[in-house]
Amino acid sequence: MNEPAWRRLDVRMLAVFSLSEVGAVVVVLFIMLIGSRGDGAWQLIGAVLAPSALVTHGLLRWLTVRYRVGVERIELRSGLLNRQVRSVPRDRVRTVDLTSSPLHRLFGLSVVEIGTGSSTAKDGRLHLNAVATKEGERLRRELLDRSPIAWAKPTALSALPTSVPGTLPGSGPVRESHLVATLRLSWLRFAPLTTAGLVALSAVFGTGFKLADDVGVRLGDLDAVHRVGDRLGAAPLWLAVVALTLGVLVVVALGSMAVYLEGWWGYRLTREPDGTLRLRRGLLTTRSLSIEQRRMRGAEVAESLLLRLFGGARCAAVSTGLDAKATSHGALLPPAPLAEAHRVAAQVLLLGDPADATGAALDQHPPAALRRRLIRTLLPTVIVVASAWWLATTVPQLAPAWPAALLALPLAALLGLDRYRNLGHALRPEYLVIGQGSLIRRRVALQRRGIIGWRLRQSVVQRLAGLVTVDVVTAASAGRYSVVDLSMDAAVHLVNEVNPGLLPTRHPTNLSADLTNDQEGRFAEPTLS
Amino acid sequence: MTAIETSMAPRPPRHRVNPRALRWWTVQAALTSAAALLPQLVALELSDARWLVVTTSVTACLAAAYVLIMPSWRYRVHRWEADEHAVYTLAGWLHLEWRVVPISRIQTIDIERTLLQRLFGLATVTVTTASAAGPVRIVGLDAQEADRLVRRLTAITQADRGDAT
């Protein structure tokens, strides 16, 4: 076989690598200059040594890392002393992701991450940091192209709605690819309802404080901080609290919008002619994620309580070979209106109607499930309230405050009710739809062909209530999805509807007959031919 | 179980596990109980706090019940069957779990024999799929029967090659 030549990373990675590590070098130099006293020679050596070590490191990487894409396998060689050769069969490649930080973009480079089906994230991924963006695109096309593919049949495509409201930004080669969704600026209103902004802000503040501390600035000593503090101290307490809260809320809201824009600017979800779903997004750091259509096993629409209150939702892919961390848990859409999330979920599953997937009307579970939801939310709350009461009786100062704890009871009841209301499942022609949860309400549509096994679980409490939990086993994402608290009848029915005859059944009245018919004591011959 | 007279339930799998599993489970339970009891007994030797007496006696009662009841209860529950369509198991004692995997979704079939299992001539057959949710296990099979089962299942799954995802 005529194997292609080994390729190197793009030579421009030397510049990117050096520049991206410059921060560390500056810190090292800083410490050396401050820390060592007198002896100028050492400082000079340090000043020369640290940058040259960095450049050498980059140079070594460029010299040692090589890759090649053969007919059968992709191979990656690396290491100078610890030689490493990693080889991945081409047909195992599930995802090819391109990421470019602002620095990479400046030099026209991309980091390529090639993912395989392996669930052990590190072994299953080949990492190329970095190649020319054009080369990255070529790799993506070449590695994911597996025509002919069943889904690309013209009939399947023409049956789908082909236009998406809104305009196509940019003038990329979208002639053959089908646009599923793009960003609308009005969705920005959902940004403050997510925790992303809060997380990012606390990170920024944390680093800021630490940096200020390292440089020797005490924020408490700053004049401006003092003035604000005095102003707040002079005002009545409630006003200070309100002002502070408002201030924090505004900063968090603005911060989360900034995070939303950075992450999702230029968002485009397209279906490519090579049978992949392609997601592009990012303002400063651009990301391109490709998922093979035939690896899609379903989709999930999730609403956190805050998002739900304002009619927002997220949409994620349920797919094999997705590394949850690298793909932000398979997110296909930024937080967006619920209807949009259902529409995108249906579109990526090649369905015209959301009611065939996550948008389906669900069958409710039996009343015993409601009792169980209520007990499970109320019982812990009652215990907490009781201990609050006990605390109030022993510590008299707390006595006036404890009735506030009673408020938790109706809230817990509401939570239980809402959990029950959202609980349910539906069988659609191609998908099994499962609904559950309250604080995060989830709807997941699982491809019926993608179900690779079933489990029925029954605790003692469930047995008494005549309920059972069905675990749907898949090769994708979480591995299993639970249909909680069905009647045994519905559970058996569900399994046998999807996989006819898979689960043998009997009427419960024949239980004793079944047991006595068994060849007890003797090891039974398996009924295999 | 009142309102489900006309309804369906899964038929238990056909085969019980090997009766020697009873003794295996009993030894396992005894070891677990000993592991829970011993530290408390040692502590009781060193001091004679009242609460220690209480916890130790409660542990002893629970351990005794566990060793006496769990193995026979488990033996009544644990069942399995395998044919050309599916591998089907029922396991547990307090908490029941039925697992069923279509033959076409099986990826690997392994035999596992711990030291304790070997003492009783037993083996565990593990059937894995592409899911991260864990395999289907048939525990407490006679070792030779387990070998035969694996050979048959391997033959069947090889005849039925697919991606299994």
Side-chain angles (χ1 to χ4, degrees):
Chain A
M1 211 182 306
N2 206 359
E3 287 288 349
W6 289 92
R7 286 164 173 274
R8 286 218 166 99
L9 300 178
D10 194 285
V11 74
R12 283 170 288 180
M13 67 81 59
L14 284 176
V16 172
F17 181 79
S18 308
L19 286 175
S20 64
E21 302 295 320
V22 134
V25 170
V26 166
V27 169
V28 168
L29 286 181
F30 191 72
I31 289 170
M32 289 186 95
L33 290 177
I34 302 290
S36 66
R37 245 172 251 160
D39 214 341
W42 278 111
Q43 292 179 8
L44 195 67
I45 290 175
V48 175
L49 214 60
S52 50
L54 182 71
V55 170
T56 317
H57 185 186
L59 199 63
L60 277 180
R61 191 188 304 170
W62 181 73
L63 283 172
T64 53
V65 174
R66 296 191 194 177
Y67 66 95
R68 71 175 175 193
V69 180
V71 185
E72 300 259 321
R73 325 181 64 82
I74 309 157
E75 288 161 284
L76 178 70
R77 290 202 326 205
S78 61
L80 180 67
L81 299 177
N82 295 322
R83 280 283 172 81
Q84 215 185 6
V85 180
R86 290 175 55 200
S87 159
V88 169
R90 270 184 76 162
D91 58 0
R92 285 289 179 79
V93 174
R94 305 285 190 262
T95 57
V96 177
D97 305 336
L98 309 181
T99 314
S100 315
S101 71
L103 201 56
H104 283 97
R105 287 171 70 186
L106 200 65
F107 288 89
L109 298 180
S110 290
V111 179
V112 179
E113 186 111 15
I114 300 167
T116 63
S118 169
S119 45
T120 47
K122 200 164 171 250
D123 295 340
R125 302 182 85 76
L126 298 181
H127 188 80
L128 299 177
N129 185 5
V131 298
T133 301
K134 219 182 232 167
E135 166 75 356
E137 284 291 331
R138 192 189 65 82
L139 281 172
R140 189 189 68 78
R141 268 198 315 277
E142 203 178 309
L143 292 177
L144 292 177
D145 187 21
R146 290 198 190 88
S147 45
I149 324 165
W151 76 270
K153 271 183 279 182
T155 47
L157 273 182
S158 58
L160 289 160
T162 44
S163 70
V164 172
T167 52
L168 313 183
S171 52
V174 290
R175 223 153 30 97
E176 307 97 339
S177 61
H178 169 80
L179 185 68
V180 177
T182 51
L183 185 72
R184 300 252 203 98
L185 281 178
S186 61
W187 297 349
L188 209 55
R189 67 182 187 273
F190 296 117
L193 309 174
T194 62
T195 50
L198 205 61
V199 173
L201 270 185
S202 35
V204 167
F205 272 111
T207 342
F209 273 117
K210 204 175 152 351
L211 267 182
D213 201 47
D214 285 350
V215 179
V217 179
R218 289 271 178 76
L219 284 177
D221 295 344
L222 282 185
D223 222 26
V225 176
H226 262 299
R227 253 179 287 144
V228 173
D230 289 344
R231 203 62 77 69
L232 280 177
L237 181 68
W238 67 268
L239 197 64
V241 168
V242 167
L244 260 181
T245 317
L246 272 181
V248 167
L249 280 181
V250 166
V251 170
V252 166
L254 288 178
S256 45
M257 282 184 184
V259 171
Y260 191 102
L261 280 179
E262 202 291 307
W264 293 96
W265 183 258
Y267 160 75
R268 288 166 59 75
L269 182 65
T270 51
R271 207 179 299 118
E272 301 289 320
D274 59 3
T276 58
L277 273 172
R278 185 164 187 205
L279 188 148
R280 271 165 289 188
R281 64 191 181 96
L283 182 63
L284 300 176
T285 297
T286 58
R287 306 163 187 88
S288 155
L289 174 77
S290 298
I291 309 170
E292 265 189 290
Q293 186 75 48
R294 65 191 185 107
R295 298 286 158 198
M296 288 289 289
R297 292 291 177 273
E300 183 185 71
V301 170
E303 305 153 81
S304 65
L305 194 61
L306 263 181
L307 272 179
R308 174 144 67 110
L309 285 175
F310 291 88
R314 295 166 188 273
C315 176
V318 174
S319 163
T320 63
L322 273 189
D323 179 18
K325 249 194 216 139
T327 63
S328 14
H329 300 274
L332 291 175
L333 187 73
L338 180 62
E340 178 71 5
H342 281 311
R343 187 190 69 82
V344 168
Q347 286 255 300
V348 299
L349 299 179
L350 305 176
L351 297 170
D353 184 5
D356 280 336
T358 51
L362 302 186
D363 296 337
Q364 275 214 323
H365 291 179
L370 171 61
R371 280 197 293 278
R372 226 174 142 232
R373 296 280 85 67
L374 286 176
I375 289 170
R376 287 178 68 138
T377 50
L378 278 174
L379 199 63
T381 320
V382 166
I383 292 172
V384 167
V385 170
S387 23
W389 173 79
W390 177 80
L391 206 68
T393 52
T394 46
V395 188
Q397 289 92 326
L398 289 175
W402 94 268
L406 282 175
L407 265 180
L409 286 173
L411 284 180
L414 274 180
L415 182 67
L417 266 176
D418 191 50
R419 277 200 185 153
Y420 176 69
R421 228 167 45 93
N422 298 334
L423 193 65
H425 71 281
L427 261 182
R428 306 301 303 163
E430 283 178 75
Y431 287 86
L432 165 63
V433 189
I434 305 170
Q436 69 162 62
S438 177
L439 297 179
I440 298 180
R441 177 163 78 173
R442 292 174 195 280
R443 279 290 184 89
V444 60
L446 297 171
Q447 196 181 39
R448 286 163 66 157
R449 280 186 299 117
I451 296 173
I452 61 175
W454 298 84
R455 294 178 189 179
L456 274 57
R457 290 185 286 133
Q458 197 172 47
S459 66
V460 177
V461 177
Q462 281 179 310
R463 206 174 318 160
L464 293 174
L467 296 173
V468 65
T469 292
V470 176
D471 283 345
V472 182
V473 182
T474 73
S477 313
R480 64 178 178 185
Y481 293 85
S482 299
V483 189
V484 178
D485 284 350
L486 282 167
S487 69
M488 189 49 114
D489 190 36
V492 171
H493 192 75
L494 176 63
V495 176
N496 282 332
E497 186 86 0
V498 175
N499 297 117
L502 187 65
L503 191 63
T505 55
R506 60 154 165 76
H507 293 280
T509 40
N510 298 339
L511 177 65
S512 50
D514 269 335
L515 288 176
T516 46
N517 280 348
D518 189 71
Q519 307 95 322
E520 209 170 319
R522 192 172 66 82
F523 182 75
E525 192 65 24
T527 56
L528 298 173
S529 45
Chain B
M1 296 228 181
T2 46
I4 50 171
E5 268 161 13
T6 57
S7 63
M8 309 272 249
R11 168 179 65 67
R14 285 184 207 285
H15 315 302
R16 287 213 158 135
V17 300
N18 192 285
R20 288 198 300 274
L22 268 167
R23 273 178 279 159
W24 169 51
W25 281 323
T26 310
V27 171
Q28 260 191 334
L31 288 176
T32 317
S33 307
L37 260 179
L38 268 181
Q40 297 189 53
L41 287 174
V42 171
L44 210 57
E45 266 314 294
L46 300 176
S47 83
D48 41 65
R50 244 220 345 250
W51 62 269
L52 213 53
V53 179
V54 175
T55 55
T56 312
S57 35
V58 168
T59 314
C61 287
L62 286 177
Y66 183 57
V67 173
L68 290 176
I69 295 170
M70 184 278 283
S72 51
W73 193 339
R74 229 180 231 293
Y75 181 69
R76 285 170 57 98
V77 171
H78 272 243
R79 281 154 170 273
W80 66 276
E81 72 182 60
D83 57 23
E84 60 271 34
H85 305 297
V87 174
Y88 172 35
T89 65
L90 169 57
W93 58 299
L94 287 174
H95 188 108
L96 300 183
E97 188 158 329
W98 294 258
R99 294 187 178 191
V100 56
V101 175
I103 289 286
S104 60
R105 307 299 195 166
I106 292 176
Q107 280 196 331
T108 64
I109 306 149
D110 305 314
I111 288 195
E112 203 184 326
R113 300 179 69 188
T114 62
L115 187 65
L116 206 55
Q117 280 181 319
R118 276 160 63 181
L119 281 178
F120 294 99
L122 296 172
T124 297
V125 171
T126 309
V127 176
T128 57
T129 62
S131 169
V136 173
R137 283 208 166 84
I138 310 175
V139 299
L141 290 181
D142 175 82
Q144 283 175 4
E145 288 294 342
D147 282 336
R148 260 193 278 164
L149 175 64
V150 168
R151 274 202 299 277
R152 286 201 192 91
L153 279 177
T154 312
I156 294 174
T157 49
Q158 256 159 13
D160 187 329
R161 272 292 89 183
D163 184 31
T165 61

